[in-house]
């Protein structure tokens, strides 16, 4: 029998000073420990000890030259967490906050997320402590090239298939894919999120944000409610919030906030026109990492240094980075009457925030379920690459819609309580875990 406290204490001893990793494992183990303890096969297989230990971690140095001709050094990683269901799959993050512990948290989450998509993908994550802010395009290209010169030794279309994440978009994927091809002379589509003319899937850029809003749509329906006419608070201004704002608008809701490291903007008219969506793309491409210029351009209000969770909205969709919504933010949202919180970022809410939502009866969707649309369409990109063909936007979108519907249904089924409340966090962990655990047992040790 596993005991939660004892298991977590042992884990902390073996993975010291990695608080985000411990947080992510705790959230999963807390939900699944009863399922494990009731199943003699899981106990005999010591499944919790095995699933929490990454298969392999590669740590490497990236040397590159800045525009002043000086050599710079960064540290990079690829965490190959678990490949019981398929090749390691997960994004690459370029951000100054990147650490081994942070990538272990993301890789661990990715195992269960990828399992939920129902596509054959294992879990992995990578990145570097490189800060793209203020870098020129040439510097970014040189960094990406050096990064791939080393990473290409450890990845492959049947072993490990990286994609983008924070700080890595189509441009960076392009530079990295180009270097991979230069080194190995093959067109196997080893990365996903590629450009549409060289093996990328249509609707991949939109997929994470679209998927999160589809999940929200399903969740509100399950609550006897609907998206039409609802006000939504988003954080971030990157790829995820861009897709979410477009799909939310299409489905009749109004998005009123975006945020950056500099603060948040409130647009009372809604972020709901082609011009505004396009401007988000430009803001991101500028590499300045600030959202304030949006306010100037569209006559919206800018609140420097603040988070958007003080705004009165029906639905909050954190779409920026882990732990961006804490216990105090949750209290503020609850007192404003927010009824639904959908994590589009990975582990966007702290444990205190999630408990507060649960106590207040706020419907909460965890990132590993709600943001799985991104990696799901990455999986569809792999299918298209393997078949050497490409589907239309409508075909991909319809598959994404159906995948999100099924993820919601599985999390709902596993998370439904006798009092009628749906604990989606628990449901997602159980549904995601079972498949991986069974695959590991069936394949032996
Ligand atoms: O967090 C994520 O799911 C991603 N960054 C996307 C991963 C992928 O392989 O598309």
């Amino acid at each position: 029998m596993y005991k939660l406290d004892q298991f977590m204490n042992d884990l902390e001893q073996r993975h010291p000073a990695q608080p985000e990793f411990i947080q992510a494992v705790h959230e999963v183990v807390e939900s699944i420990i009863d399922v494990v303890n009731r199943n003699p096969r899981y106990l005999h297989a010591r499944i919790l000890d095995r699933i929490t230990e990454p298969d392999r971690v590669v740590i490497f140095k990236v040397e590159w030259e800045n525009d002043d001709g000086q050599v710079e050094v960064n540290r990079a990683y690829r965490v190959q967490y678990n490949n019981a269901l398929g090749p390691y799959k997960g994004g690459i993050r370029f951000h100054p906050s990147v650490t081994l512990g942070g990538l272990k948290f993301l890789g661990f989450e990715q195992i269960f997320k990828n399992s939920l998509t129902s596509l054959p993908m294992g879990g992995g994550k990578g990145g570097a402590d490189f800060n793209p802010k203020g870098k020129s395009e040439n510097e970014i290209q040189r960094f990406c090239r050096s990064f791939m010169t080393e990473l290409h030794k450890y990845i492959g279309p049947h072993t490990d298939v990286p994609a983008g994440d924070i700080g890595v978009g189509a441009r960076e994927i392009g530079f990295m894919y180009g270097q991979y091809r230069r080194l190995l002379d093959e067109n196997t589509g080893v990365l996903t999120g590629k450009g549409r003319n060289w093996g990328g899937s249509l609707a991949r850029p939109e997929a994470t944000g679209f998927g999160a809003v589809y999940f929200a749509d399903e969740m509100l329906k399950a609550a006897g409610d609907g998206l039409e006419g609802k006000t939504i608070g988003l954080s971030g201004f990157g790829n995820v919030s861009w897709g979410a704002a477009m799909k939310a608008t299409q489905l009749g809701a109004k998005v009123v906030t975006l945020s950056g490291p500099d603060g948040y903007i409130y647009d009372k008219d809604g972020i709901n026109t082609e011009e505004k969506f396009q401007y988000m793309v430009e803001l991101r491409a500028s590499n300045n990492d600030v959202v304030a210029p949006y306010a100037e351009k569209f006559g919206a209000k800018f609140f420097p240094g603040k988070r958007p969770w003080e705004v009165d909205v029906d639905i909050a969709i954190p779409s920026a980075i882990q732990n961006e919504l804490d216990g105090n933010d949750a209290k503020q949202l609850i007192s404003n009457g927010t009824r639904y919180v959908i994590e589009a970022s990975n582990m966007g809410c702290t444990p205190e925030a999630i408990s507060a939502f649960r106590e207040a009866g706020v419907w909460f969707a965890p990132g590993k379920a709600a943001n799985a649309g991104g990696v799901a369409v990455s999986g569809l990109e792999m299918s298209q690459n393997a078949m050497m063909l490409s589907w239309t936007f409508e075909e991909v979108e319809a598959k994404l819609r159906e995948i999100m519907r099924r993820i919601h249904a599985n999390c709902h089924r596993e998370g439904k309580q006798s009092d009628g409340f749906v604990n989606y966090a628990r449901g997602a962990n159980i549904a995601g875990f079972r498949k991986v655990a069974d695959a590991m047992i069936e394949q032996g040790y």
Side-chain angles (χ1 to χ4, degrees), residues 4 25 129 146 174 358 388 418:
L4 182 62
V25 175
D129 60 358
S146 292
R358 200 174 299 148
M388 300 284 269
S418 49

Side-chain angles (χ1 to χ4, degrees), residues 236-268:
F237 65 97
N239 188 45
V240 178
S241 3
W242 167 75
M246 289 192 294
K247 186 50 76 181
T249 303
Q250 275 177 27
L251 298 184
K254 182 159 113 177
V255 173
V256 292
T257 65
L258 296 174
S259 72
D262 55 331
Y264 79 90
I265 64 97
Y266 173 73
D267 185 343
K268 67 172 183 353

Side-chain angles (χ1 to χ4, degrees), residues 78 89-93 106 110 113-114 121 124-125 161-166 192-193 204 208 346 371-372 374-379:
R78 186 72 184 164
K89 183 82 195 87
I92 290 172
R93 177 174 291 191
L106 289 160
Q110 200 80 40
K113 182 194 314 196
N114 294 3
M121 299 183 291
K125 199 85 184 190
V161 183
D165 192 77
I166 295 172
T192 61
R204 175 63 187 89
T208 312
N346 291 309
N371 75 26
V375 75
V377 174
S378 276

Side-chain angles (χ1 to χ4, degrees), residues 282-300:
E282 282 167 39
L283 258 187
R284 184 160 34 104
S286 74
N287 263 12
N288 291 326
D289 210 13
V290 287
V291 77
Y294 178 102
E296 254 168 69
K297 178 151 171 95
F298 295 107

Side-chain angles (χ1 to χ4, degrees), residues 294-445:
Y294 178 102
E296 254 168 69
K297 178 151 171 95
F298 295 107
K301 273 198 196 144
F302 176 61
F303 297 86
K306 296 211 143 174
R307 293 170 169 183
W309 315 127
E310 59 188 28
V311 177
D312 186 348
V313 291
D314 302 308
I315 304 170
I317 309 188
S319 314
I321 200 162
Q322 65 267 18
N323 294 328
E324 55 171 313
L325 195 164
D326 65 18
N328 289 330
D329 298 321
K331 276 188 208 131
Q332 181 70 57
L333 286 168
I334 291 163
S335 75
N336 286 347
T338 300
R339 297 226 19 233
Y340 309 97
V341 178
I342 290 101
E343 277 183 345
S345 45
N346 291 309
M347 205 168 76
C349 298
T350 63
E352 294 73 31
I354 298 171
S355 308
F357 293 142
R358 200 174 299 148
E359 275 161 36
V362 169
W363 291 60
F364 169 76
K368 63 170 76 71
N371 75 26
V375 75
V377 174
S378 276
L380 301 178
E381 183 168 326
M382 290 165 73
S383 310
Q384 293 168 79
N385 291 165
M387 292 188 288
M388 300 284 269
L389 51 76
S390 46
W391 293 325
T392 64
F393 192 96
E394 290 71 27
E395 284 173 297
V396 178
E397 200 187 2
K399 289 183 202 297
L400 169 64
R401 180 85 190 80
E402 176 56 20
I403 289 170
M404 296 312 297
R405 193 194 61 73
R406 280 203 308 255
I407 294 176
H408 174 272
N410 288 336
C411 298
H412 188 274
R413 192 187 57 245
E414 299 282 1
K416 195 161 196 285
Q417 299 178 171
S418 49
D419 62 1
F421 187 72
V422 185
N423 187 336
Y424 283 96
R426 187 177 145 80
N429 288 330
I430 294 175
F433 167 76
R434 272 217 186 95
K435 272 174 60 182
V436 183
D438 292 344
M440 287 171 72
I441 291 172
E442 284 157 21
Q443 296 173 37
Y445 53 86

Side-chain angles (χ1 to χ4, degrees), residues 143-157:
F143 180 80
C144 288
R145 248 178 0 226
S146 292
F147 179 86
M148 185 52 84
T149 301
E150 183 63 20
L151 184 71
H152 88 280
K153 300 169 191 167
Y154 312 106
I155 62 174

